[in-house]
Amino acid sequence: MSAPRQPDEAMNRAMRLCWWQIGWFVTVVAVMGVVMGQSQTMKTAWIEDMLGFVPPIAFLVAARMERRPRSARFPFGFARANGLGFFVSAVALTAVGALLLVNALMTLAMAEHATVGSMRLFGHDVWLGWLMLAAQGYALIPPLVIGTKLLPLARTLNDKLLHTNAMMNKANWLTGAAGIAGVVGLGLGWWWADAVAAGLISIDIINDGWKALRSSAAELIDGAPRALDKPEVSPDARTLHATLDGRFPGATILMRETGRLIHVEIHGVDAPDPVPAREELWPCGGDSAWRLAQVTFTDRPLERDRYQELFSPGERQAPRQHRPGR
Amino acid sequence: MKKRVAVLSLLLSLAGCDALPRDPGGTLDRVRQSHTIRVGLADDAMPQQARALLAALAQQEGARIELRRGSLEPLIVDLDADRLDLVIAEVAKRTPWKKLVAPGPTLLVHGEGSERTEWRALMKNGENRWIMQVEQTSRAVAPEAS
């Protein structure tokens, strides 16, 4: 089977967007840093913006590494760089949610009354809250725009690292919105407002982060391919398994994922002659056949086990009852 | 879209009528109702700039100054417990009290480098309208120091 040809245009577009994201985020971090003062909410939002750099940088580094040819020290190439970046980004996203939640709970528990004073600007005394609102309003725009553009690309490329980046952007603009509510709340004398808003939003972010963390950990330890946005086995993998099962009855079929690519081992059958084309084996449309990176045949049978039950029709009805590893 | 317009209108109206910020503990409202500003002084004497600050605040709010002398720590406890509205003190540049209170702009500086001390008004954290008013007045009476 020849090397898979991935959609270059979508990949290049995703890389351009990540560079734009880094550029925009530098300006956001600078503006937020200037006006944050002693506000804990603003400091948290600022730290979160800093963590927002992790997914695009991880994606760009992984994309660069993936293109390197295999070497003596890395004989299987660098396709797993994407998976490693996915794991790092998932940790960053979960950390953002956890940071936000801990900060909100501590603010509420200690009944901290945040001080937002004034500063002299062009000869006028201006309440710092207005500048914070302007900064937070500006900080909303880049993640909202870039996150919206990243999502369809993540689906086209089936790239979980890119999807986590889109989720991080969502987390950033949601936190920005909570920050605006918080500063207005502080201004109105409701010291608890920003902590409550941030606490509610942190639960959503932790949920996204936890799902990404489970999927990325599964990928790193050769778990079956996971869906883009949840840690369940992906529909593509199920369809592929069913197709191969029909074509090679009695064989044991193992699948794993390295970044965007799926690798398959078919145990218990001889390799067919001629070897079928990738498009012939991939059941989910020719446009995405590049995802099937490798199919290995070995005539030594492998005992059918609980992994196989995962893909049996009965199991599809109740997938949580017999998961592998339980 | 309607929601965004409503939020924007609310923000603009809040900006226009100077409604923000407000005090969660209502310090400025209390000063205006009682016509009294309760001040703690953490020293025997007070520099001219601090006297000017108190005089200007009293004039702005039509209030009289009720002065109480004492050590800095008990005065900060009273400030936090709403028994004082303001503390005037000479503090080191790196004083740990900065996290427990909201220090206003510098009124007067003594010394240099690590030996530098600053006369400031200290307010209760979070009383943002009152803090803003004291900050504005401090900058007006001691523009060189701040």
Side-chain angles (χ1 to χ4, degrees):
Chain A
M1 195 174 275
S2 59
R5 283 182 58 80
Q6 299 182 31
D8 286 343
E9 196 187 321
M11 193 66 191
N12 290 337
R13 188 140 184 262
M15 287 172 74
R16 275 200 304 276
L17 267 175
C18 285
W19 278 115
W20 271 106
Q21 182 181 352
I22 291 170
W24 276 106
F25 276 32
V26 166
T27 66
V28 167
V29 165
V31 169
M32 296 277 280
V34 168
V35 300
M36 73 178 172
Q38 291 182 330
S39 161
Q40 198 58 42
T41 313
M42 292 291 284
K43 276 182 192 165
T44 310
W46 191 71
I47 292 169
E48 194 187 325
D49 287 332
M50 296 285 271
L51 283 170
F53 283 112
V54 173
I57 290 174
F59 179 79
L60 288 169
V61 170
R64 200 177 173 84
M65 286 186 76
E66 279 172 21
R67 291 178 178 182
R68 286 165 63 175
R70 64 196 186 89
S71 65
R73 293 179 66 199
F74 295 95
F76 292 97
F78 297 90
R80 293 205 135 174
N82 180 282
L84 183 59
F86 176 31
F87 182 74
V88 171
S89 300
V91 170
L93 183 61
T94 313
V96 163
L99 181 76
L100 208 57
L101 182 62
V102 168
N103 187 61
L105 290 177
M106 281 183 70
T107 303
L108 289 174
M110 299 177 79
E112 282 175 13
H113 289 43
T115 293
V116 181
S118 62
M119 69 181 290
R120 195 91 176 141
L121 197 67
F122 305 119
H124 294 276
D125 289 297
V126 180
W127 183 50
L128 214 49
W130 293 121
L131 301 181
M132 288 177 181
L133 285 175
Q136 290 274 26
Y138 172 66
L140 275 183
I141 300 166
L144 195 59
V145 172
I146 290 169
T148 311
K149 286 179 181 289
L150 279 175
L151 262 183
L153 286 174
R155 288 195 195 103
T156 304
L157 290 166
N158 199 71
D159 192 305
K160 298 190 187 76
L161 170 51
L162 211 53
H163 188 267
T164 308
N165 190 8
M167 291 299 103
M168 180 66 100
N169 277 281
K170 182 182 140 195
N172 275 336
W173 76 257
L174 279 174
T175 311
I180 287 177
V183 174
V184 172
L186 276 180
L188 290 168
W190 304 335
W191 62 269
W192 43 265
D194 62 331
V196 170
L200 290 174
I201 281 167
S202 71
I203 293 167
D204 186 45
I205 297 171
I206 289 172
N207 186 37
D208 282 341
W210 180 241
K211 283 193 287 190
L213 208 52
R214 284 178 64 193
S215 287
S216 59
E219 186 180 323
L220 285 181
I221 56 171
D222 283 345
R226 298 304 203 256
L228 193 61
D229 54 353
K230 55 188 174 195
E232 311 303 330
V233 174
S234 77
D236 285 0
R238 286 186 184 280
T239 312
L240 176 63
H241 191 281
T243 304
L244 295 175
D245 207 26
R247 188 161 178 150
F248 306 104
T252 305
I253 299 156
L254 308 183
M255 287 183 290
R256 64 190 171 91
E257 202 169 23
T258 57
R260 294 175 287 277
L261 307 174
I262 292 179
H263 297 251
V264 182
E265 288 178 18
I266 303 178
H267 292 257
V269 291
D270 291 323
D273 188 21
V275 176
R278 173 180 290 111
E279 288 74 15
E280 231 177 294
L281 296 176
W282 182 253
C284 306
D287 289 351
S288 57
W290 55 268
R291 288 190 60 208
L292 186 56
Q294 186 185 21
V295 180
T296 309
F297 293 91
T298 168
D299 56 1
R300 195 179 62 190
L302 199 69
E303 193 181 334
R304 287 181 76 88
D305 52 19
R306 291 170 69 191
Y307 169 78
Q308 298 298 303
E309 292 171 19
L310 180 69
F311 296 97
S312 67
E315 182 61 27
R316 274 180 225 173
Q317 301 300 317
R320 296 186 67 83
Q321 289 174 9
H322 299 288
R323 284 196 305 188
R326 279 201 164 188
Chain B
M1 189 65 189
K2 279 182 182 174
K3 273 186 187 172
R4 284 180 197 169
V5 172
V7 170
L8 195 65
S9 309
L10 175 68
L11 287 178
L12 288 174
S13 60
L14 288 171
C17 67
D18 197 25
L20 300 185
R22 293 182 196 161
D23 296 336
T27 300
L28 187 59
D29 288 343
R30 201 209 53 74
V31 164
R32 285 176 178 165
Q33 281 166 14
S34 66
H35 302 288
T36 308
I37 302 174
R38 301 165 302 176
V39 179
L41 177 62
D43 211 317
D44 292 330
M46 193 170 9
Q48 172 57 33
Q49 290 84 344
R51 269 195 227 109
L53 169 67
L54 296 183
L57 285 172
Q59 190 185 15
Q60 284 163 15
E61 301 306 332
R64 65 186 182 84
I65 302 294
E66 190 179 288
L67 196 64
R68 189 193 314 165
R69 286 189 168 81
S71 303
L72 181 58
E73 222 162 310
L75 289 178
I76 285 177
V77 170
D78 283 348
L79 185 68
D80 199 46
D82 292 324
R83 290 191 286 268
L84 287 174
D85 303 312
L86 197 71
V87 171
I88 300 284
E90 185 180 15
V91 291
K93 192 167 170 53
R94 291 184 186 176
T95 177
W97 297 118
K98 270 186 181 174
K99 287 184 179 174
L100 296 177
V101 293
T106 309
L107 294 166
L108 182 66
V109 175
H110 284 147
E112 283 180 358
S114 60
E115 293 181 5
R116 176 180 161 126
T117 58
E118 297 167 344
W119 279 91
R120 288 171 182 260
L122 311 176
M123 287 76 71
K124 184 181 177 181
N125 264 330
E127 297 298 284
N128 292 321
R129 169 60 74 179
W130 175 238
I131 290 167
M132 190 173 159
Q133 172 139 357
V134 176
E135 284 177 345
Q136 280 177 328
T137 313
S138 296
R139 289 189 198 105
V141 299
E144 308 86 16
S146 59

